[in-house]
Amino acid sequence: MFDDDDYEQRNRQLLFQGTQVLERTGQSLARSTQIAVETETIGHEVISELGEQREALLRTRGRLEDANEQLSSAKNILKSMSRNVFYNKLILILIIIIEILILACLCYLKFLKH
């Protein structure tokens, strides 16, 4: 009878230990599940934020391309204006030379012919 009590007590103790291990395992699984859910939530937030940043970068890239096109256009306009200023100066110099020649001819005709 003593052996049966020891056997039964040993079985109860093993059952109790097994139950404790099972409870700890269940708690560990619950914590792991909670961590997995939190990690998944953080992952979704990161992916969402990265998507927003990507959109912002694409908009910025588009604006930079537009600014680059406008700078190229402005550069061409400035070149054209510079060329026009040069031609206007050249024409002005030619007009002044022609006026000087006309004045010289008039002076020659008025003073030397009399």
Side-chain angles (χ1 to χ4, degrees):
M1 194 162 181
F2 190 69
D3 287 335
D4 285 340
D5 285 341
D6 283 344
Y7 178 74
E8 198 173 302
Q9 192 166 358
R10 237 185 270 146
N11 280 342
R12 283 183 187 169
Q13 193 174 26
L14 286 174
L15 182 62
F16 180 71
Q17 289 174 352
T19 304
Q20 286 180 334
V21 168
L22 188 60
E23 285 177 6
R24 285 194 306 265
T25 304
Q27 291 170 353
S28 178
L29 282 173
R31 284 192 305 270
S32 296
T33 302
Q34 183 179 0
I35 291 171
V37 168
E38 290 173 1
T39 303
E40 184 179 5
T41 302
I42 290 170
H44 284 297
E45 290 172 1
V46 168
I47 288 172
S48 175
E49 189 173 324
L50 287 174
E52 291 171 7
Q53 289 177 357
R54 180 180 186 273
E55 291 298 319
L57 287 172
L58 289 174
R59 284 192 303 271
T60 302
R61 181 179 181 190
R63 287 185 199 132
L64 286 174
E65 288 173 354
D66 290 343
N68 191 28
E69 289 175 15
Q70 290 177 358
L71 285 173
S72 295
S73 176
K75 184 178 178 182
N76 290 337
I77 290 170
L78 286 174
K79 282 182 182 180
S80 175
M81 289 173 68
S82 174
R83 197 176 21 226
N84 287 341
V85 166
F86 176 75
Y87 290 143
N88 287 344
K89 284 183 181 181
L90 187 62
I91 290 171
L92 184 61
I93 290 171
L94 289 175
I95 290 172
I96 291 171
I97 291 172
I98 291 172
E99 286 179 348
I100 290 173
L101 288 175
I102 290 172
L103 282 174
C105 287
L106 286 175
C107 288
Y108 174 76
L109 290 175
K110 185 168 185 175
F111 293 116
L112 294 179
K113 278 232 172 178
H114 284 308

